[in-house]
């Protein structure tokens, strides 16, 4: 048996808000939209990962979701411009990651990061 994919499922009463945050601001593609379920993603080849955390690092809480981007500063600027609440960073962490935390429209803590 081999794991092929991992999908994060986030409950929301507002699919349009999800589309705004994840597609419009973060730039993910809409892969499926059935009205009751919106799936966003990317054609990029990615590794399958699940992280288990006792802490968020640098004294931060554990985020609900981590999204790696190619340009953290551009993602940070897009989040600020869109009016989303940034709760931490951007910060250059000792484990060679640049990141910030932002709340999505549903209150989920999202870790936006890139490896440096």
């Amino acid at each position: 048996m081999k794991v092929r994919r991992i999908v994060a499922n986030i409950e929301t009463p507002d699919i349009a808000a999800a589309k705004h945050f994840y597609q419009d601001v973060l730039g993910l593609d809409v892969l499926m939209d059935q009205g009751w379920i919106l799936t966003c993603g990317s054609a990029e080849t990615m590794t399958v990962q699940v992280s288990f955390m006792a802490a968020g690092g640098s004294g931060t809480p554990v985020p609900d979701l981590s999204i790696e981007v190619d340009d953290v500063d551009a993602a940070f600027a897009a989040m600020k411009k869109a009016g989303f609440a940034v709760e931490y960073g951007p910060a250059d962490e000792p484990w060679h990651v640049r990141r910030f935390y932002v709340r999505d429209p549903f209150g989920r803590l999202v870790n936006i990061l890139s490896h440096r």
Side-chain angles (χ1 to χ4, degrees):
M1 194 269 306
K2 184 178 187 179
V3 174
R4 297 180 61 196
R5 169 170 73 145
I6 295 172
V7 176
N9 297 307
I10 299 173
E11 183 179 1
T12 177
D14 191 348
I15 298 293
K19 192 177 236 183
H20 176 63
F21 183 88
Y22 291 98
Q23 179 191 24
D24 299 341
V25 180
L26 274 178
L28 289 172
D29 298 322
V30 172
L31 304 178
M32 178 179 63
D33 187 350
Q34 298 294 323
W36 60 273
I37 180 173
L38 172 74
T39 301
C40 294
S42 170
E44 295 286 323
T45 301
M46 300 176 206
T47 57
V48 174
Q49 295 180 316
V50 177
S51 296
F52 303 92
M53 304 168 72
S58 295
T60 65
V62 173
D64 296 302
L65 187 64
S66 292
I67 298 175
E68 185 176 349
V69 298
D70 63 349
D71 187 337
V72 167
D73 295 313
F76 178 78
M79 287 296 166
K80 294 293 280 184
K81 182 178 180 185
F84 289 102
V86 173
E87 296 197 3
Y88 174 77
D92 293 317
E93 302 292 5
W95 54 90
H96 307 290
V97 165
R98 181 162 175 77
R99 70 179 181 158
F100 68 93
Y101 282 7
V102 62
R103 292 274 173 194
D104 78 1
F106 323 111
R108 303 282 190 218
L109 190 59
V110 181
N111 175 30
I112 309 290
L113 69 115
S114 67
H115 291 271
R116 46 181 179 90

